Amino acid sequence: MIKLLQSICHLLEEGEDLVLATVIGHSGSTPRSVGAKMIVRKNGAIIGTIGGGLVEFHAQKLAREVFKTGRALTEAVEFSGEDASATDQMICGGRMEILLELIIADPENVEEHKELIVALQKGHKGFLIKLIDTTGKGVRRMDWCLVQNDSVTLGTYPCQASLIATLTGEAVKAKQSLTVKVEERRYFVEPTVHPGTLYLFGAGHVSRSVAEMASLVDFRTVVLDDRAEFANAERFPGAELLQVVPSFNRSFEGLDIDRDGFVVILTRGHLHDKTVLEQALKTDAGYIGMIGSRRKRDLIYQELLIKGFSQAELDRVHAPIGLAIGAETPEEIAVSIVAELIQVRAGRG
């Protein structure tokens, strides 16, 4: 979400209007789920994806109308029959609803997106609520608000407490983005922290490849290391947060890791791995994985058992990390790790 918002902000700062396409509903089998977003530029170029093929062709076509009229619109796309078979996309047999809205390159929108990016980068749990209204004449962006701790902290929509409770309650039950209808009005509700925040402890070669691949499959990536020459934006351009920690002994300070968190331990040595694992076991992380051989794992486990950790606690750890695919190179190891992350995330969903 943050990377797409940064792209929007950059285009707006350059003076370029754009259309934002968002998947707000789906049924059956579709190429992307609710919440997927894509920017359509005036020249037809796109940033991001809402599924490729048929659906993006429709979105680009409809975006021209939105640029022309300034009016937001919703459109249903069917993934069956002649339309689907006419594309290079496999027939999914589902239905997807897309919202398209025009975002004008004015100072107000630039500042609004900057504030939202800063708020989301803090990683606090909350919800983005958008009123879906396509009835306006002329330029029409959806009214929206950011809700944190059950109150509005940012945005243009004055969402009342009772409505907040209803909308966020539905989102919590669904555990994903969704559209909710309340008193003949439709609202799109998105959790600001999606299941799948990946905490990479260690910024070496394997970590770099893991971060790149994890970003491609929609993990929010946080990279932590005690070496600034490793944990930097040049090596990890897709990371949403980079932290150079004083030492791995204090690497969890300020992190709110819960069941939606994936902790991956890839430090440069046995002692650092043990230090990080000891702290990770004290969190509610839904996944903890540690690189290394079974011999190394057993040595670390023995030391932690002596320190008072139980076998049940150690059984939470995926070690050696990754699926057993015979991986050897950093890139192959990264594939095995990210595949396991996807497997765990999918099983939980």
Side-chain angles (χ1 to χ4, degrees):
M1 183 188 298
I2 291 177
K3 285 186 290 184
L4 193 77
L5 287 172
Q6 289 171 331
S7 295
I8 291 173
C9 196
H10 174 72
L11 292 174
L12 296 180
E13 287 181 312
E14 294 293 315
E16 182 175 341
D17 300 342
L18 57 93
V19 169
L20 177 64
T22 305
V23 179
I24 61 171
H26 80 124
S27 60
S29 178
T30 58
R32 292 298 303 273
S33 58
V34 174
K37 291 182 173 65
M38 180 179 78
I39 298 167
V40 184
R41 303 175 67 176
K42 274 193 173 179
N43 63 6
I46 60 174
I47 300 172
T49 178
I50 55 173
L54 172 69
V55 66
E56 289 181 2
F57 172 78
H58 274 290
Q60 289 168 296
K61 180 180 177 181
L62 292 167
R64 293 196 291 270
E65 180 181 343
V66 176
F67 276 120
K68 182 178 179 180
T69 66
R71 291 186 58 181
L73 57 83
T74 58
E75 178 81 359
V77 180
E78 302 284 347
F79 290 90
S80 59
E82 293 181 2
D83 284 343
S85 60
T87 72
D88 59 358
Q89 196 168 7
M90 292 181 65
I91 298 176
C92 298
R95 181 179 184 275
M96 179 183 286
E97 184 180 12
I98 313 164
L99 168 68
L100 296 101
E101 54 186 314
L102 180 64
I103 304 179
I104 298 294
D106 61 25
E108 183 180 347
N109 277 334
V110 172
E111 187 60 31
E112 177 184 286
H113 281 83
K114 285 182 177 179
E115 290 178 355
L116 182 56
I117 289 168
V118 170
L120 296 183
Q121 282 177 329
K122 294 177 181 177
H124 299 313
K125 286 193 172 184
F127 299 89
L128 280 169
I129 295 174
K130 182 175 289 187
L131 173 63
I132 302 173
D133 182 3
T134 57
T135 61
K137 296 179 180 179
V139 174
R140 182 65 179 170
R141 265 197 73 206
M142 307 296 97
D143 285 329
W144 67 278
C145 63
L146 172 64
V147 171
Q148 294 173 318
N149 296 322
D150 301 323
S151 63
V152 175
T153 59
L154 200 63
T156 58
Y157 189 67
C159 207
Q160 301 299 314
S162 58
L163 181 58
I164 289 174
T166 298
L167 297 177
T168 59
E170 291 295 321
V172 168
K173 284 191 293 184
K175 297 182 179 180
Q176 62 181 14
S177 303
L178 79 165
T179 299
V180 182
K181 189 173 183 179
V182 179
E183 297 180 352
E184 303 307 314
R185 286 186 164 187
R186 297 175 75 204
Y187 299 87
F188 185 59
V189 187
E190 297 177 273
T192 59
V193 178
H194 292 273
T197 297
L198 174 61
Y199 298 89
L200 287 170
F201 289 85
H205 298 305
V206 173
S207 184
R208 186 178 184 180
S209 293
V210 169
E212 182 178 357
M213 293 180 191
S215 178
L216 293 174
V217 292
D218 296 329
F219 281 93
R220 174 181 179 267
T221 306
V222 177
V223 181
L224 306 100
D225 202 297
D226 59 353
R227 302 166 295 175
E229 65 270 27
F230 282 81
N232 57 62
E234 183 178 353
R235 284 174 50 78
F236 292 88
E240 292 196 8
L241 182 63
L242 289 161
Q243 289 192 6
V244 179
V245 296
S247 75
F248 284 112
N249 290 313
R250 299 167 53 191
S251 54
F252 281 71
E253 290 183 1
L255 299 180
D256 181 19
I257 301 178
D258 59 13
R259 288 289 301 167
D260 293 334
F262 290 68
V263 173
V264 171
I265 304 170
L266 305 169
T267 77
R268 61 186 181 277
H270 166 98
L271 291 177
H272 292 313
D273 285 346
K274 180 174 76 69
T275 298
V276 173
L277 179 58
E278 185 173 348
Q279 296 169 82
L281 289 171
K282 296 175 183 177
T283 72
D284 294 325
Y287 173 95
I288 301 173
M290 182 176 68
I291 199 168
S293 66
R294 288 180 174 80
R295 180 177 177 276
K296 167 192 157 179
R297 173 200 65 190
D298 292 343
L299 289 172
I300 290 176
Y301 283 8
Q302 288 172 17
E303 295 177 38
L304 293 181
L305 287 169
I306 293 171
K307 295 189 76 168
F309 287 91
S310 69
Q311 186 60 51
E313 289 175 302
L314 297 177
D315 288 342
R316 294 173 56 196
V317 185
H318 294 253
I321 195 172
L323 300 183
I325 60 173
E328 294 184 3
T329 68
E331 293 77 15
E332 290 173 345
I333 295 169
V335 169
S336 75
I337 292 172
V338 175
E340 185 170 78
L341 298 178
I342 294 170
Q343 184 183 64
V344 171
R345 182 175 64 179
R348 190 183 305 168

